[in-house]
Amino acid sequence: MKIALMDSGIGLLAATAAVRRLRPDADLVLSLDPEGMPWGPRTPEDLTRRALAVAEAAAARRPQALIVGCNTATVHALPALRARLEPGIPVIGTVPAIKPAAAGGGPFAIWATPATTGSAYQRNLIENFADGVRVTEVPCWGLAEAVEHADEAAIDAAVAAAAELTPDDVTTVVLGCTHYELVAERIRTAVQRPGAAPLVLHGSAGAVAAQALRRLGEQPAPDASADGTLTVLLSGREGVLPGPALHYAEGRLLPSAVRVADRG
């Protein structure tokens, strides 16, 4: 089994680690776009063009499924990606976990990039799935970029700024950018109010990994032999994981699985 994941940068690590934990025997292809990163500030048309190029580089390695490990790319490029690759390669997007957050019943916040915050896509998800629960959309200026570069000071500053915009009474935070899952516990610490019930965080990585297996008709097998290969594509060329990836537990999970991958 071969599964590809794509993003402009290392935000795909959370979903990659989730896939690796569910199926350590799966071959993985990570297709990144360091030459075009970040995608967030780009126009939807430009982002879609770059996303298609990254997806086609991954598709050339003949995966059985492609995970779009980026919320912003899912917002703007998912229809074009599916039109280009399906039905031959199922394409799984990354959607903010608004429905399970609303099921908790309390007011919640959605932390997302400025490009996603306030977008028609996110607003439609809130309207369709928040079920009347009060939702605060929090734009997280610079957080994805800080995580991408493992810039500790910038991460602290961006998390603190977003926490200031988060109402004191929220019970749940939806992590609406895949980069944020790499610093989830720092977000929890920043938002947790003294004396309040433990804050609930909702990411998307686990659900996306499980959906990919469902689309392939496969079952989780966490005890399978950990012999899955890892191929990293950087703007279409084979390379290695960017250095900042190893700053995070999700990135450190992967190098031990690096082998010469099947090019066919």
Side-chain angles (χ1 to χ4, degrees):
M1 180 169 54
K2 183 184 289 187
I3 296 175
L5 300 97
M6 59 170 281
D7 191 3
S8 64
I10 63 173
L12 51 64
L13 287 178
T16 302
V19 173
R20 177 61 84 212
R21 292 185 183 106
L22 290 177
R23 290 299 299 257
D25 58 335
D27 294 336
L28 302 180
V29 177
L30 309 189
S31 190
L32 287 69
D33 185 28
E35 294 177 4
M37 183 186 66
W39 282 348
R42 294 182 177 275
T43 66
E45 295 77 16
D46 189 26
L47 188 157
T48 297
R49 179 179 63 82
R50 298 204 71 92
L52 284 168
V54 168
E56 288 174 344
R61 301 304 177 109
R62 300 181 184 177
Q64 292 160 280
L66 172 67
I67 292 172
V68 184
C70 173
N71 294 85
T72 303
T74 299
V75 167
H76 296 298
L78 187 61
L81 292 168
R82 284 180 167 163
R84 183 71 59 88
L85 298 178
E86 291 188 344
I89 301 175
V91 180
I92 297 93
T94 299
V95 178
I98 293 172
K99 187 173 182 179
F108 66 91
I110 305 172
W111 283 32
T113 64
T116 300
T117 300
S119 67
Y121 177 86
Q122 183 161 289
R123 291 284 170 84
N124 286 337
L125 289 174
I126 293 170
E127 183 177 337
N128 292 332
F129 298 115
D131 197 25
V133 177
R134 178 163 55 82
V135 181
T136 301
E137 296 180 90
V138 177
C140 302
W141 296 94
L143 181 53
E145 292 80 4
V147 173
E148 179 69 31
H149 296 102
D151 185 331
E152 290 288 333
I155 292 170
D156 286 343
V159 167
E164 285 293 320
L165 299 176
T166 304
D168 288 345
D169 63 345
V170 300
T171 60
T172 301
V173 172
V174 173
L175 303 177
C177 171
T178 54
H179 280 80
Y180 304 169
E181 297 192 48
L182 301 178
V183 292
E185 290 310 310
R186 292 167 75 164
I187 292 172
R188 185 193 306 277
T189 298
V191 178
Q192 181 68 55
R193 309 305 182 194
L199 184 76
V200 177
L201 296 180
H202 281 287
S204 302
V208 166
Q211 176 65 5
L213 293 184
R214 283 194 292 271
R215 290 289 299 271
L216 294 176
E218 297 282 354
Q219 297 294 321
D223 296 327
S225 177
D227 56 5
T229 62
L230 179 69
T231 300
V232 178
L233 303 175
L234 304 176
S235 298
R237 298 180 295 276
E238 191 161 340
V240 298
L241 281 171
L246 303 183
H247 185 77
Y248 304 102
E250 292 85 348
R252 294 191 296 272
L253 178 67
L254 300 175
S256 63
V258 174
R259 300 166 187 263
V260 177
D262 174 14
R263 292 176 179 268

